[in-house]
């Protein structure tokens, strides 16, 4: 008869894959989470395109609003999936004691976080694919296969950065009731100043510079450039990548120093 001493522990990679599967099942079984991650961006794409004519969207000459809107809504879906959903679900799991119970198991902490990230990436791929497909079929948006890799690269960079930022923000949310207001209260202003809903081609210079210093606008503009037929090379400048990287590194530092596994009010760490 086999004993626990002869039972080999599962490889960490299999544990991480199991966490990805578990988080995806939670999303599918949550009507609200599924709506915000998948359905809401599709509704936003349809409503904004139908209600906003090209003349009222302040678009550059020769560019239709739908051509700009499709990658912008794709970026918005990444914010929903990787930032908002991370804040709300992680805070809820912490305050319900799920994270504390996980810390008492042999599951390595990093596999749980990797599972969260993997689930967000899978959901992001599904959401962006549906948005682009709907835009091409319903709104005559053109996508160049030559630049589809740029879209995937910028989207992947955005997903990882938004996830890290969302995980960092959870350290500042004291209870689950305030998670959703904090998530949307920080995300929507970022989206409005970062070319997510309307082009900033005619915006004041100071607003353009402010958006460029934040993590959303650089990746959003890169995703929008991937839909332009004139794009010939990687659409993100070195400054833009450094900006996104700096925000991501800052988020990692906050997570490593202040991330909490136990429920309760925020406490300052003792030395």
């Amino acid at each position: 008869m086999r004993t626990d001493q002869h039972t080999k522990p599962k490889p960490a990679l299999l544990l991480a894959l199991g966490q990805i599967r578990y988080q995806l099942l939670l999303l599918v079984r949550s009507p609200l989470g599924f709506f915000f991650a998948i359905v809401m961006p599709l509704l936003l794409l349809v409503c904004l395109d139908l209600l906003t004519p090209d003349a009222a969207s302040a678009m550059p000459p020769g560019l239709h609003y739908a051509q700009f809107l499709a990658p912008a809504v794709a970026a918005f879906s990444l914010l929903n999936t990787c930032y908002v959903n991370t804040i709300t679900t992680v805070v809820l799991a912490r305050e319900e004691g799920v994270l504390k119970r996980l810390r008492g198991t042999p599951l390595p902490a990093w596999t749980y976080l990797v599972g969260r990230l993997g689930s967000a990436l899978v959901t992001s791929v599904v959401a962006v694919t549906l948005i682009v497909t709907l835009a091409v079929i319903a709104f005559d948006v053109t996508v160049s296969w030559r630049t589809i890799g740029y879209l995937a690269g910028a989207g992947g960079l955005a997903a990882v950065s938004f996830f890290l930022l969302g995980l960092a923000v959870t350290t500042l949310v004291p209870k689950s009731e305030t998670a959703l207001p904090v998530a949307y209260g920080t995300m929507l202003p970022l989206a409005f100043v970062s070319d997510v809903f309307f082009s900033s081609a005619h915006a004041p210079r100071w607003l353009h510079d402010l958006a460029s210093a934040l993590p959303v606008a650089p990746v959003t503009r890169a995703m929008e450039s991937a839909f332009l037929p004139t794009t010939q090379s990687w659409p993100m400048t070195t400054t833009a990548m450094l900006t996104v990287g700096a925000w991501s590194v800052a988020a990692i530092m906050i997570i490593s120093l202040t991330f909490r596994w136990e429920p309760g009010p925020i406490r300052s760490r003792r030395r």
Side-chain angles (χ1 to χ4, degrees):
M1 183 176 179
R2 295 182 64 182
T3 62
D4 292 340
Q5 294 179 352
H6 296 87
T7 302
K8 294 182 178 180
K10 290 184 178 181
L13 179 59
L14 290 180
L15 293 175
L17 291 175
Q19 281 298 311
I20 293 175
R21 177 179 177 274
Y22 175 69
Q23 296 300 330
L24 289 174
L25 287 176
L26 287 181
L27 177 65
V28 173
R29 294 172 182 174
S30 171
L32 187 62
F34 183 82
F35 174 81
F36 280 118
I38 305 296
V39 180
M40 183 179 176
L42 296 174
L43 293 176
L44 189 66
L45 173 66
V46 173
C47 293
L48 284 178
D49 187 79
L50 294 178
L51 297 176
T52 309
D54 291 343
S57 58
M59 299 302 301
L63 182 63
H64 296 292
Y65 183 50
Q67 192 73 25
F68 160 86
L69 185 63
V73 172
F76 177 79
S77 74
L78 296 180
L79 278 169
N80 254 333
T81 303
C82 302
Y83 181 77
V84 173
N85 188 61
T86 297
I87 295 174
T88 55
T89 56
V90 170
V91 170
L92 181 63
R94 184 192 69 206
E95 296 306 309
E96 289 184 344
V98 175
L99 299 188
K100 182 179 180 180
R101 291 193 294 271
L102 282 175
R103 291 293 283 168
T105 67
L107 181 72
W110 70 266
T111 58
Y112 173 77
L113 298 179
V114 168
R116 285 274 186 182
L117 174 59
S119 171
L121 291 175
V122 172
T123 309
S124 299
V125 170
V126 173
V128 172
T129 301
L130 291 175
I131 291 169
V132 174
T133 302
L134 177 63
V136 170
I137 295 175
F139 303 115
D140 296 326
V141 172
T142 58
V143 180
S144 173
W145 290 107
R146 176 175 48 79
T147 59
I148 199 71
Y150 301 151
L151 176 66
L157 180 63
V160 174
S161 178
F162 296 163
F163 172 79
L164 292 173
L165 290 170
L167 206 58
V169 171
T170 62
T171 64
L172 304 175
V173 181
K175 51 187 179 179
S176 56
E177 291 82 1
T178 59
L180 192 62
V182 169
Y184 275 106
T186 52
M187 186 269 280
L188 289 177
L190 280 174
F192 273 105
V193 303
S194 301
D195 292 5
V196 172
F197 298 113
F198 298 98
S199 173
S200 63
H202 303 288
R205 182 65 186 178
W206 66 267
L207 184 60
H208 185 275
D209 293 339
L210 174 63
S212 299
L214 298 173
V216 179
V219 291
T220 302
R221 292 166 185 166
M223 295 175 69
E224 293 163 1
S225 297
F227 272 64
L228 299 178
T230 56
T231 300
Q232 301 291 333
S233 60
W234 173 246
M236 288 189 73
T237 64
T238 303
T239 302
M241 289 190 291
L242 289 176
T243 299
V244 177
W247 281 94
S248 301
V249 170
I252 292 174
M253 294 178 63
I254 294 173
I255 294 166
S256 62
L257 293 175
T258 62
F259 186 78
R260 294 185 292 127
W261 296 86
E262 297 185 0
I266 301 173
R267 300 181 180 91
S268 59
R269 285 193 174 188
R270 296 180 179 178
R271 290 187 177 181

